[in-house]
Amino acid sequence: MSGVLASVDQRTQLVGENRLELLLFYLHSRHLFALNVFKVKEVVKLPRLNIIPHAHPKISGVANIRGESIPVIDLRQAICMPATKSTEDSNLVITEYNRTVQGFLIGKVDQIVNMTWSDIMPPPSSIGKNHYLTALTKIQRDGQEQLVEIIDVEKVLAEIVEYEVQISDEVLDKSIVNEFAGRKILHADDSRTARKQVSDTLTQLGIEIIPASNGLEALNMLKAWADKGMDVEKELLMVITDAEMPAMDGYRLTHEIRNDNRLKNLHVVLNTSLSGSFNQAMVEKVGCNAFLSKFQPDLLVGEVQTRLKALLDSQK
């Protein structure tokens, strides 16, 4: 595994080019799983863990990595497989999601693969709602295709640390709170959990959330509405999009919106678990109107409220 993540910083240039790299690994089984490299800080051999009394049952303990205490999640157990039995193949993947750092206990690390988002497929709807996959892909190995299961980390984390969708009273501008009712927002995200977080927050205000599971689905919806003669820019308060999704990422979605005269003035907000400093540069590059890191209900409502105020002011 030596050197497998030696150039993670250089790999960030793939983001925004509709490309990604996946870290492939096993969970002490024959199935091949994956996480997006851009959310991985490093991979280390499993260190000694300190057990925390009364911690969540999916937390194996806390690892001390260069003076930082990092909670370690048993990824097998987190996706409802039997708990991991530590072996010499056990590794720790340290990741950053939604402004928090955590480690995932995994088995053997396989390799890193470079792919386009068009190679990434959403899970089939026939497998139900209780799975822990955000996407699937395939790789060639020994002349045969092998399925790779990409884990929905946001769902894993949400089941360990329950998310709050309560809106603080001080956030709401009482003078326009009644103006939210009936407004529509298109929300594109490949994580069912992330879509529910946004919907649970904004529907409290009477806003209708139109969901899309990836950027291509969202773009097709927008173009279909425009083809029917709908004034999409007046119909939608904004588009909220994740950065990384199968078929088409949020950066490409924004690019396509800005290059369609019928859609180019749509207000687009990038809402992602990726690092804020990098995404601020990407926001400016592709033309998003704002960037929000997941998941912060008050900031989300504040951004929607700011957009509504601007829209109301322009109509005076």
Side-chain angles (χ1 to χ4, degrees):
M1 190 182 67
S2 176
V4 72
L5 292 178
S7 59
V8 168
D9 288 341
Q10 297 175 15
R11 300 173 191 276
T12 61
Q13 63 187 327
L14 295 173
V15 179
E17 302 299 329
N18 215 41
R19 300 190 67 84
L20 77 160
E21 287 191 321
L22 296 174
L23 174 68
L24 308 186
F25 57 88
Y26 295 93
L27 292 176
H28 301 291
S29 69
R30 61 184 179 84
H31 298 283
L32 197 55
F33 295 92
L35 294 173
N36 193 320
V37 165
F38 193 58
K39 296 177 182 178
V40 174
K41 293 170 71 70
E42 61 180 315
V43 179
V44 298
K45 295 301 295 183
L46 182 65
R48 179 180 175 276
L49 300 181
N50 297 307
I51 306 303
I52 306 298
H54 309 298
H56 192 282
K58 294 179 181 180
I59 300 289
S60 297
V62 173
N64 189 297
I65 306 294
R66 287 181 291 281
E68 182 178 5
S69 296
I70 297 175
V72 175
I73 299 166
D74 182 346
L75 196 49
R76 271 180 61 93
Q77 193 172 11
I79 63 174
C80 295
M81 295 172 67
T84 298
K85 294 182 179 179
S86 181
T87 70
E88 62 180 17
D89 285 336
S90 295
N91 291 286
L92 183 63
V93 181
I94 301 172
T95 66
E96 185 170 1
Y97 283 85
N98 300 355
R99 311 175 317 283
T100 64
V101 176
Q102 53 281 311
F104 290 103
L105 172 56
I106 65 169
K108 181 181 177 181
V109 171
D110 184 70
Q111 63 174 315
I112 287 176
V113 293
N114 184 320
M115 313 192 82
T116 68
W117 278 105
S118 59
D119 297 323
I120 310 299
M121 305 168 291
S125 58
S126 57
I127 66 175
K129 299 180 180 180
N130 296 324
H131 61 84
Y132 289 84
L133 304 180
T134 190
L136 299 167
T137 192
K138 295 178 181 178
I139 62 169
Q140 290 290 330
R141 177 159 293 174
D142 300 325
Q144 295 184 330
E145 283 189 336
Q146 184 170 357
L147 190 67
V148 178
E149 302 175 40
I150 305 172
I151 293 174
D152 185 348
V153 175
E154 290 173 351
K155 179 176 181 178
V156 169
L157 294 177
E159 291 184 353
I160 295 173
V161 181
E162 293 186 13
Y163 63 85
E164 295 288 339
V165 297
Q166 187 67 36
I167 304 168
S168 301
D169 287 339
E170 59 268 22
V171 171
L172 291 175
D173 184 338
K174 301 300 190 294
S175 68
I176 65 166
V177 70
N178 294 328
E179 295 286 346
F180 285 113
R183 304 283 178 172
K184 298 177 182 179
I185 291 176
L186 176 62
H187 179 216
D189 200 301
D190 59 323
S191 170
R192 184 184 298 272
T193 296
R195 294 198 301 272
K196 190 173 189 304
Q197 288 172 336
V198 169
S199 178
D200 286 352
T201 301
L202 296 182
T203 54
Q204 296 177 70
L205 302 174
I207 297 173
E208 178 185 346
I209 304 299
I210 304 169
S213 59
N214 60 65
L216 183 59
E217 181 182 343
L219 183 64
N220 287 340
M221 292 169 69
L222 291 169
K223 287 184 176 292
W225 293 333
D227 289 343
K228 292 178 181 178
M230 180 187 297
D231 189 337
V232 182
E233 294 173 359
K234 288 185 178 180
E235 189 72 18
L236 294 179
L237 181 60
M238 65 170 59
V239 174
I240 300 175
T241 178
D242 187 19
E244 302 179 290
M245 298 175 285
M248 179 182 291
D249 65 26
Y251 307 108
R252 176 57 60 177
L253 170 61
T254 305
H255 174 81
E256 295 294 333
I257 287 173
R258 295 296 180 238
N259 283 276
D260 188 319
N261 286 331
R262 304 167 300 174
L263 309 172
K264 64 182 182 181
N265 293 319
L266 279 169
H267 191 89
V268 181
V269 176
L270 191 71
N271 185 38
T272 174
S273 57
L274 295 176
S275 66
S277 58
F278 178 81
N279 272 293
Q280 194 58 53
M282 289 304 304
V283 162
E284 296 172 4
K285 178 180 177 182
V286 301
C288 294
N289 296 96
F291 161 73
L292 286 175
S293 59
K294 296 177 179 176
F295 173 68
Q296 303 176 83
D298 281 350
L299 291 184
L300 174 63
V301 170
E303 183 62 37
V304 173
Q305 188 167 251
T306 297
R307 168 59 181 160
L308 180 56
K309 286 180 180 178
L311 186 63
L312 294 174
D313 287 344
S314 70
Q315 295 171 351
K316 291 180 179 178

